Amino acid sequence: MNILDDLKWRGAINQETDHDGMYELVGKKSVGLYVGIDPTGDSMHIGHLIPFMILKRFQLAGHHPVILIGGGTGSIGDPSGKKSERVLQTMDQVRHNVKGLTRQAEKLFGQDGKFEIVNNYDWLSQLSLLDFLRDYGKLFNVNTMLNKEIVASRLEVGISFTEFTYQILQGVDFLHLYRHNDVQVQLGGADQWGNITSGIDLIHKVEGQDAKAYGMTIPLMLKADGTKFGKTAGGAVWLDSEKTSPYEFYQFWINQDDKDVVRYLKYFTFLSREEIDDLAKKVETQPEKREAQRRLAEEVTKFVHGQDAVDQAEHISKALFSGDVSQLTTAEIEQGFKKMPSVEVSSEPLNIVQWLVDVTKFEPSRRQAREDINNGAIRINGEKVQDVDFEIDPSKKFDGKFVIVRRGKKHYFLARIK
């Protein structure tokens, strides 16, 4: 099956510059394709996964992915999707970000065949101002550039000449990769259509109208309620495990709505059509089991963080659900309790009532603390405590770093030992 047929079934195609030409091209040979990302930060977030998942599908289908990290374009800023000028980063910050994104791209694409990572700073930094104006600026019509959505949407509030030229630089990128890396297709988000078509126009002007260069964009990802995919109350969901732990990452996917989960299975997993259709039926007939969400969380977490991270996230989830936290490791507690209520306490052993009321403030009064203890509502490090004379010794568990308190079935608190 032609990969474009599979992408169409998955709902992953928004616009194509020449469907028939691209369909014929990818159906008969291994093709070079690229996705670009500017180093505005040192980690990708899950919004970046959208075009990269499509690029990965092409890799698995035998094509050649090229990941372009914009060390050059990232130093000036892409106006796409922005209502105002970006704040320019220092070149030291850009270089730092490039290293972080390179490590992540190597992890995502390094397991399944050949791929390339390139940095457009390598060629854009070699362009003199006169070369830029004579060789490229002369080939771009200002009227056409003004009509591009990425520019037109900014005309009322204003756009600098720097960001205005971004589409020229991205066009230069496509031409460079076409000439030197055998790249014929650029993929990108829906907001990149103007930049992509600028590159194709440039290739046709320089290499001739018969040059086989194509572009494809991916639809804007919205949730069933119309809100933007990937945004949470806590901010972005990062691919960097230091910014978003694998457990938090797993939880983001497993908590998706029934209305969205099948679409996300098509987009963010490499499961077959038959497997996804089977999971879709289970969403309809057995939604309470949340099997589709669990499979989604497993597949995406494995792709980004590996199978060990999946196993760890599932272990933490089961422990928190059952209340048996005593089997968790110190590292797993760091992940699972990252956003739960916590306080810092000393390592001094202390009576449980005093500790719950005076030290941690987990209980409002000594009377309430004694009542909860006597009723069996308090668990310390997973063990039920019903003795009001019990002494809490923080050094006895979890490498002396944590004490976990659970009141009732759902209310967890974490004491971090100074």
Side-chain angles (χ1 to χ4, degrees), residues 11 80 86 99 104 149 215 270 283 288 296 340 349:
S80 302
R86 291 179 183 268
K99 290 180 181 178
Q104 290 181 343
E149 174 61 26
F270 302 102
V283 172
E288 71 283 355
L296 174 67
M340 289 185 183

Side-chain angles (χ1 to χ4, degrees), residues 6-17:
D6 181 58
L7 293 180
K8 183 178 180 181
W9 173 77
R10 292 178 184 273
I13 298 177
N14 181 43
Q15 291 173 291
E16 298 169 89
T17 56

Side-chain angles (χ1 to χ4, degrees), residues 133-194:
L133 294 174
R134 286 179 60 87
D135 296 343
Y136 303 112
K138 196 71 176 174
L139 301 176
F140 283 79
N141 185 291
V142 170
N143 291 339
T144 302
M145 294 174 70
L146 288 172
N147 287 326
K148 300 277 187 181
E149 174 61 26
I150 51 175
V151 173
S153 62
R154 287 277 299 279
L155 291 180
E156 285 191 19
V157 296
I159 183 171
S160 69
F161 178 74
T162 298
E163 290 195 5
F164 180 66
T165 61
Y166 186 94
Q167 60 182 287
I168 299 179
L169 295 181
Q170 189 162 326
V172 173
D173 287 344
F174 199 170
L175 176 62
H176 178 92
L177 295 178
Y178 178 88
R179 285 174 163 174
H180 301 283
N181 300 76
D182 196 26
V183 168
Q184 292 179 267
V185 180
Q186 182 181 358
L187 308 173
D191 62 346
Q192 291 298 310
W193 181 251

